[in-house]
Amino acid sequence: MKDQVDYSLYLVTDSTEAILGSRDLVQVVEQALIGGVTIVQYRDKTSDTGVLISTAKALHEKCKAHNIPLLINDRVDVALAVGCEGVHLGQDDMNVSEARNLLGNDKIIGATVSSIEEARIAVERGADYLGIGTLYATNTKKNTKDIIGINGIRKILKSLNDGNEAEKKVKTVCIGGVNASNLQRITHQLHAPSSPSTQPKPIDGVAVVSAIIGAPDPKTASSHLSKLLHSPPPFKAHSTEPHFWLESNAQEITHVLSFASLATKSVREKSPLSHNMTNLVVQNFAANVALCIGASPIMANYAAEAPDLARLGGALVVNMGTVTPDGLANFKQAINAYNLAGGPIILDPVGAGATSVRRSAVAELLNNGYFDLIKGNEREILAVASASGFSVSGPTSQQRGVDSGTAVYTLPQKASIVSTLALRERCIVLMTGATDVISDGNRTYTISNGHAYLGMITGSGCTLGTTLSAYLAANQGDKLLAAIAGVLHYEIAAEEASRREDVKGPGTFVPAFLDELYRLGVKVAGDGEWEGARVECVKDVGEGVLVLD
Ligand code: 3NM
């Protein structure tokens, strides 16, 4: 019986004025049950025992009518008096084995944990499920011990997955700040593979308080959350199943290139919005690049505009060229708007490894948003990997400015880094360099086009981000191949520009490059193909350069 419990939408109650208001808790919970919550925990830190027991009995009647288990927070005595299905215990409450002795094996016992060690001990003592948190800071419980974020929860899930049978089997829910605006992203991000051969341990549910108890209509709120739980996040809604390798490399590359020319056509036909939140140095150049490839640019760093812009079917570039607390807050708000609308987001973590401010900014962004594509040079991608919870084995070097510096890793090592990070973040990762490496965790390719002049002008990395945004927005079925098409457009245009007689160096290269971006886009869109593309597939990607902490 206990094994059949559905933890997916776990309601924790709150009787305080700030959340429940003047409403009746039992009626609110009944509405939530009708709306579709799958398990209820009665949590009341202030009422006297008599009130606790009478409220719990009334709640139990309602829960039984819906065949939903009722658990009591902290108070084993109340659970025994009511005869409900179990208890939930915090770290400061009775310990799990003592509660088990009192309640017996048939009752459900859950425990709050915030670390690998607490999780291990709770399982050893016989917990049936773990409430892992705190995910995000919340007004509902201000005295939480640790805010561990997405990464903290992923670490605990991985450790359970690597543990003994009981650890593998224990059920899990996450708690803290979960609501309708972030639920799908959170569950998507928590399902994070650490290697191609290991299935990650899933989170079995989300626990919410204010998103239901504090909602104006708890029934509608619960049924909306339940619907969200059972549908793909908006940013995956248009994905077609990625194809796996075609039989021969030649067939594979033919497929990639025919996709690329269609993708270019699609950019010109759809003229998608490219919303750039970018630095002052490149705004003008980025707008010109977008126009030349056939996209519609807007440079809008003020996030209050993002919800409207996100509805226009375009994509967002988050460029960390200049990081300020204000900028970061704007990024987070805009990212949320695009994640909710399903518009692709490109993260360009400019100079991510250069300072501790930038390193923590990357971590904060990854913790608060899903990025469809993360692009950067070697050091930037390593900084992202470290923010994603990896440590790096092998050579590393401190990033100085935002320029790329000398490459340290070999191509096979880069392929390993890029595919491991892409697999974990469930997105596309592009490491730029003389040879670019791009992967979605399953398919990895190299692209060896481009020209040295790109490294001698400002904003060439940033405006590649702009180009990618247009390609992803216009080609959402297979964003990896769309990104390859964008890189080809950008880099082949650079090659063509560099060959022109009027180009004498980086200065004359810039206008010629814009011309070639335009000319080639029009040519390929009109039944042309990407001549001179140097794309290869990397079928044997090693593991082990990135190791999870
Ligand atoms: N326990 P909301 S956070 C009851 O971290 C509780 O253990 C937490 O409320 C923990 O869904 C929390 O309104 C409150 O953010 C969660």
Side-chain angles (χ1 to χ4, degrees):
M1 181 62 198
K2 248 185 5 175
D3 295 343
Q4 310 300 314
V5 173
D6 176 355
Y7 290 91
S8 61
L9 186 53
Y10 183 133
L11 173 65
V12 182
T13 72
D14 189 294
S15 307
T16 62
E17 170 76 28
I19 294 176
L20 183 64
S22 55
R23 295 177 294 183
D24 174 62
L25 181 69
V26 179
Q27 280 176 13
V28 167
V29 170
E30 185 174 27
Q31 291 300 302
L33 288 163
I34 297 168
V37 298
T38 61
I39 180 164
V40 177
Q41 178 197 134
Y42 173 39
R43 179 173 182 271
D44 181 341
K45 293 293 191 191
T46 51
S47 295
D48 292 335
T49 306
V51 174
L52 287 178
I53 291 177
S54 62
T55 310
K57 278 186 173 160
L59 290 174
H60 198 210
E61 285 310 308
K62 300 293 181 196
C63 286
K64 278 195 296 191
H66 288 85
N67 207 15
I68 293 294
L70 174 72
L71 313 179
I72 310 292
N73 181 278
D74 178 6
R75 298 287 298 266
V76 176
D77 55 339
V78 174
L80 282 168
V82 172
C84 66
E85 287 67 38
V87 292
H88 180 88
L89 304 169
Q91 287 294 318
D92 299 326
D93 301 336
M94 182 186 288
N95 94 36
V96 171
S97 32
E98 282 158 2
R100 180 64 74 204
N101 287 339
L102 292 169
L103 290 167
N105 279 336
D106 293 342
K107 296 293 180 189
I108 301 165
I109 302 182
T112 297
V113 301
S114 344
S115 67
I116 290 175
E117 188 57 7
E118 285 175 1
R120 194 189 59 72
I121 292 171
V123 175
E124 193 176 270
R125 290 178 175 166
D128 297 297
Y129 79 89
L130 306 175
I132 312 180
T134 303
L135 174 53
Y136 296 122
T138 169
N139 284 331
T140 308
K141 187 178 175 188
K142 297 220 175 71
N143 62 341
T144 50
K145 211 168 42 147
D146 290 306
I147 309 226
I148 58 174
I150 295 280
N151 255 355
I153 296 186
R154 293 198 301 206
K155 274 185 193 164
I156 295 172
L157 289 173
K158 176 167 189 307
S159 143
L160 292 168
N161 213 24
D162 294 344
N164 59 34
E165 276 314 301
E167 288 167 15
K168 281 187 176 37
K169 228 177 83 186
V170 72
K171 300 290 182 184
T172 57
V173 298
C174 61
I175 186 159
V178 180
N179 57 52
S181 81
N182 58 20
L183 178 150
Q184 289 181 302
R185 170 181 61 77
I186 290 167
T187 52
H188 184 81
Q189 286 185 296
L190 288 180
H191 194 84
S194 48
S195 82
S197 50
T198 327
Q199 270 302 313
K201 182 175 173 59
I203 193 89
D204 296 291
V206 292
V208 300
V209 182
S210 54
I212 292 178
I213 302 287
D217 178 350
K219 179 177 137 196
T220 309
S222 317
S223 69
H224 183 47
L225 291 170
S226 170
K227 214 169 94 205
L228 292 174
L229 267 175
H230 297 104
S231 47
F235 46 81
K236 287 287 171 192
H238 302 291
S239 291
T240 49
E241 273 301 303
H243 79 279
F244 276 86
W245 299 120
L246 298 177
E247 218 163 283
S248 74
N249 285 6
Q251 281 173 315
E252 179 64 31
I253 298 306
T254 304
H255 173 69
V256 171
L257 296 184
S258 63
F259 186 102
S261 49
L262 289 175
T264 302
K265 192 169 179 187
S266 169
V267 169
R268 291 216 72 87
E269 278 173 3
K270 294 182 181 162
S271 191
L273 182 79
S274 171
H275 174 180
N276 289 245
M277 296 182 91
T278 193
N279 59 83
L280 293 172
V281 186
V282 301
Q283 286 188 351
N284 177 258
F285 189 31
N288 280 331
V289 166
L291 286 171
C292 289
I293 62 168
S296 171
I298 184 165
M299 306 291 125
N301 286 354
Y302 181 39
E305 292 183 293
D308 284 346
L309 294 173
R311 280 193 282 272
L312 301 178
L316 173 69
V317 179
V318 173
N319 178 301
M320 282 189 16
T322 39
V323 188
T324 60
D326 218 28
L328 207 51
N330 276 291
F331 285 159
K332 285 186 347 197
Q333 206 183 325
I335 289 163
N336 190 245
Y338 272 82
N339 276 171
L340 276 173
I345 310 182
I346 316 298
L347 175 64
D348 192 345
V350 180
T355 64
S356 65
V357 166
R358 279 169 197 258
R359 282 191 287 275
S360 64
V362 173
E364 198 172 335
L365 292 180
L366 289 182
N367 191 38
N368 284 281
Y370 171 78
F371 298 97
D372 299 78
L373 189 155
I374 302 172
K375 73 154 278 283
N377 59 40
E378 187 181 275
R379 293 170 205 194
E380 289 161 353
I381 294 299
L382 287 175
V384 174
S386 139
S388 171
F390 290 100
S391 62
V392 182
S393 72
T396 49
S397 62
Q398 164 70 28
Q399 177 160 14
R400 262 177 315 116
V402 298
D403 55 325
S404 30
T406 323
V408 173
Y409 288 93
T410 62
L411 206 54
Q413 286 174 321
K414 287 181 184 181
S416 171
I417 292 168
V418 163
S419 73
T420 308
L421 179 58
L423 192 70
R424 181 127 184 108
E425 291 299 330
R426 306 184 72 187
C427 69
I428 300 159
V429 176
L430 165 63
M431 187 191 280
T432 54
T435 295
D436 310 304
V437 188
I438 189 166
S439 179
D440 65 359
N442 295 309
R443 297 167 290 164
T444 304
Y445 303 86
T446 58
I447 306 161
S448 315
N449 292 96
H451 191 272
Y453 283 155
L454 285 173
M456 298 178 202
I457 59 170
T458 53
S460 60
C462 305
T463 54
L464 173 59
T466 305
T467 305
L468 294 168
S469 72
Y471 269 83
L472 263 63
N475 301 282
Q476 297 199 27
D478 191 334
K479 292 175 190 160
L480 174 61
L481 297 195
I484 293 175
V487 175
L488 288 175
H489 189 160
Y490 196 83
E491 295 188 345
I492 293 175
E495 290 175 5
E496 292 286 316
S498 72
R499 286 190 202 109
R500 281 169 43 159
E501 277 192 6
D502 54 331
V503 172
K504 312 284 186 217
T508 39
F509 169 76
V510 174
F513 176 50
L514 292 175
D515 286 349
E516 293 302 321
L517 280 172
Y518 172 71
R519 187 183 67 80
L520 286 173
V522 172
K523 176 176 160 278
V524 172
D527 288 339
E529 54 187 59
W530 284 109
E531 282 165 25
R534 289 195 290 276
V535 184
E536 286 177 35
C537 28
V538 186
K539 288 191 172 166
D540 297 310
V541 175
E543 288 179 42
V545 187
L546 293 183
V547 184
L548 279 171
D549 285 339

